[in-house]
Structure formats: C-alpha cells, structure tokens
C-alpha cells in the first residue's frame, strides 16, 4: 500500500511517465484519427438514423458517448501496457522507486483523458445541429471522467491478464461486445428479457449510460446516486484486482 504522504519526487515521476505515454502513444497520428474519427463516425451514423428528431438524438447520444469511451480507453490501454510488458520496458518501470499505485495511476491517466475527449466529441458534434443548451457540460465532463476511469481500469485488468497484444484485443472484445446489447446503449435495459437483466446490472457500462441519460434526458432507469456509487465501486474493484495481479504475476 502507498504510504501516507506523497513525495514531490513521486509527482515528478508521475508527470514524466504521463508525458512519455502521451507522446509515445496518444499523440501518434493513427491514435488521434482513431480517437476522433471513431466517435464522429458513430455520431454521424446515428444522427442520420434518428431522422432529425430531437427526442431521438437525446435518446441515442448517451449510448454513443459511452460507446466511444468504452472502445477508446480499453483499446488504447490494453494494447500499450501489453506492448510495453512484452518489450520489457514495463519491467524497468516496476524497478523505479515509486509506489505501484502511483505508477499505475500515471500509466492510466493518459487513457482516462483520451476517454473524456472521446466522450465529448459526440456531444460537441450533436450540439452543432441540435439545441443541447439544457445539458450541463460540467455534469457531462464529470460523468465522462468517471466512466473513462472505469473503462480504463477495465483495460488495465485485461492487459495484466494476457501476454500478447492480440490476446488483449481478443479479451477486450469478449467484454465489450456483450455490453453493446446488455447495457442500454441503444435500447433500454427494461426491454431485455427478464433472465438477461441481472447480467446487465453486473456490467459497469449500464450505470454509465444511465447516468448520461439522467444528464441529457432528465430521466433514467436507476437513481443517480446508485449510478455514481456503482461506477466508483467498479473502478475501485478493477484497480485493486489489477494491482494484485501485477504484484502476483510481474513482481513476485
């Protein structure tokens, strides 16, 4: 566990690791295009599908924003950590005089910021064509941030569970694609068969989508406090499990 009090040198190390990752991975042209074009493509597709109805746009936008966060964060982090682990550069980071919690916070911060950006792109695009002035931008940023944290830690969990990059992508899809249909992205969880609904409530994206619906539509299936508590709980659980796996597999 991280000791009480954070040394200034830890913050310097945190910042250097974050800047290195941003330059090495997140600012590369393919990743920038992926981060921008993917949510833009999804947004354009569903805006066309909506037929111009404001009600349909508000109903579809929470799912599009959550989907952009899910694919952007899990894809980036699962691949980068697995790649560095295979190239042994991650092993050198583990030798640094830095608490593991601080090290992994630095490794995941870039993906979290990437996820928040992915979350906002569909909202900004839709706001050019529709009046979304009633939506609280700070609330959207807060919800997008906590959802990005959860999805990033899910990517971290995937990365520490595999050895090869292709395995990380395969395992990511194992988690992501069921969420497309079970988490209320494009149709409500209440419309699912009864035997599938308990599974929906076991997936973190369900609570992220519902929270976005409260912000954009003013209504949702679950209460806002439960959404926040569930997302924070999933984030804490995924981070602790990932740290435990790193200590067991990569350090001992």
């Amino acid at each position: 566990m991280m000791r009480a009090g954070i040394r200034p040198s830890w913050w310097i190390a945190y910042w250097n690791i974050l800047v290195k990752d941003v330059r090495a991975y997140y600012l590369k042209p393919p990743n920038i295009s992926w981060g921008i074009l993917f949510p833009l493509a999804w947004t354009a597709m569903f805006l066309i599908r909506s037929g111009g109805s404001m009600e349909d746009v508000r109903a579809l936008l929470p799912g599009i924003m959550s989907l952009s966060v899910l694919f952007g964060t899990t894809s980036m982090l699962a691949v980068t950590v697995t790649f560095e682990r295979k190239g042994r550069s991650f092993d050198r980071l583990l030798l640094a005089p830095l608490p593991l919690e601080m090290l992994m916070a630095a490794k995941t911060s870039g993906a979290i910021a990437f996820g928040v950006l992915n979350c906002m792109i569909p909202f900004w695009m839709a706001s050019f064509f529709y009046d979304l002035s009633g939506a609280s931008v700070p609330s959207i940023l807060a919800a997008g941030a906590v959802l990005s944290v959860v999805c990033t830690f899910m990517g971290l969990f995937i990365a520490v569970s595999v050895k090869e990059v292709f395995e990380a992508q395969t395992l990511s899809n194992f988690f992501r694609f069921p969420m497309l249909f079970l988490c209320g992205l494009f149709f409500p969880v209440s419309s699912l068969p009864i035997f599938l609904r308990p599974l929906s409530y076991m997936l973190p994206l369900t609570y992220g989508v519902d929270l976005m619906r409260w912000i954009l539509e003013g209504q949702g299936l679950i209460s806002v406090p439960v959404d926040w508590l569930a997302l924070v709980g999933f984030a804490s659980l995924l981070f602790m499990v990932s740290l435990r796996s790193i200590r067991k597999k990569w350090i001992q």
Side-chain angles (χ1 to χ4, degrees):
M1 298 295 294
M2 190 161 52
R3 290 170 289 179
I6 300 179
R7 301 176 184 175
S9 60
W10 294 353
W11 283 118
I12 295 172
Y14 171 94
W15 177 252
N16 288 334
I17 293 171
L18 173 59
V19 170
K20 187 270 293 182
D21 282 353
V22 168
R23 290 175 176 172
Y25 302 114
Y26 300 102
L27 292 184
K28 295 296 183 182
N31 295 330
I32 294 175
S33 62
W34 167 261
I36 295 175
L37 293 179
F38 180 80
L40 285 180
W42 276 100
T43 306
M45 180 175 66
F46 284 103
L47 287 179
I48 293 171
R49 174 191 176 279
S50 70
S53 168
M54 185 63 187
E55 291 74 16
D56 287 343
V57 170
R58 286 188 178 273
L60 290 171
L61 200 53
I64 299 171
M65 295 164 69
S66 302
L67 187 66
S68 297
V69 173
L70 175 67
F71 275 80
T73 54
T74 54
S75 296
M76 289 298 299
L77 194 73
V79 170
T80 55
V81 173
T82 307
F83 178 79
E84 288 193 355
R85 172 63 177 166
K86 186 174 177 61
R88 311 293 292 181
S89 59
F90 197 87
D91 292 351
R92 292 192 291 272
L93 285 176
L94 291 175
L95 296 175
L98 187 69
L100 183 61
E101 294 86 352
M102 197 80 170
L103 170 61
M104 299 317 300
K107 294 297 294 181
T108 55
S109 293
I112 293 170
F114 192 73
V116 175
L117 175 63
N118 274 15
C119 177
M120 295 306 297
I121 287 175
F123 177 78
W124 288 329
M125 182 178 179
S127 66
F128 280 113
F129 303 99
Y130 301 92
D131 182 15
L132 299 175
S133 58
S136 170
V137 174
S139 297
I140 294 173
L141 284 170
V146 71
L147 182 58
S148 296
V149 170
V150 174
C151 294
T152 297
F153 290 168
M154 186 187 306
L156 178 62
F157 171 76
I158 291 168
V160 300
S161 302
V162 300
K163 295 181 179 179
E164 302 289 342
V165 173
F166 75 89
E167 293 176 336
Q169 291 286 19
T170 302
L171 189 58
S172 295
N173 291 332
F174 177 80
F175 287 100
R176 291 185 302 205
F177 283 106
M179 292 187 190
L180 296 180
F181 307 101
L182 296 175
C183 292
L185 288 168
F186 307 115
F187 48 84
V189 173
S190 57
S191 66
L192 293 173
I194 294 177
F195 67 91
L196 286 178
R197 293 178 197 174
L199 183 58
S200 296
Y201 294 116
M202 296 172 62
L203 300 172
L205 198 63
T206 299
Y207 302 93
V209 175
D210 191 73
L211 185 57
M212 289 293 185
R213 291 199 186 282
W214 277 110
I215 297 171
L216 292 169
E217 299 181 68
Q219 60 182 356
L221 187 63
I222 311 166
S223 69
V224 173
V226 172
D227 287 332
W228 278 104
L229 287 173
L231 290 170
V232 172
F234 275 113
S236 301
L237 178 63
L238 288 167
F239 192 61
M240 288 189 296
V241 171
S242 299
L243 291 180
R244 184 176 181 275
S245 297
I246 291 172
R247 288 190 174 99
K248 183 178 180 180
K249 296 179 180 179
W250 298 355
I251 297 178
Q252 292 183 354

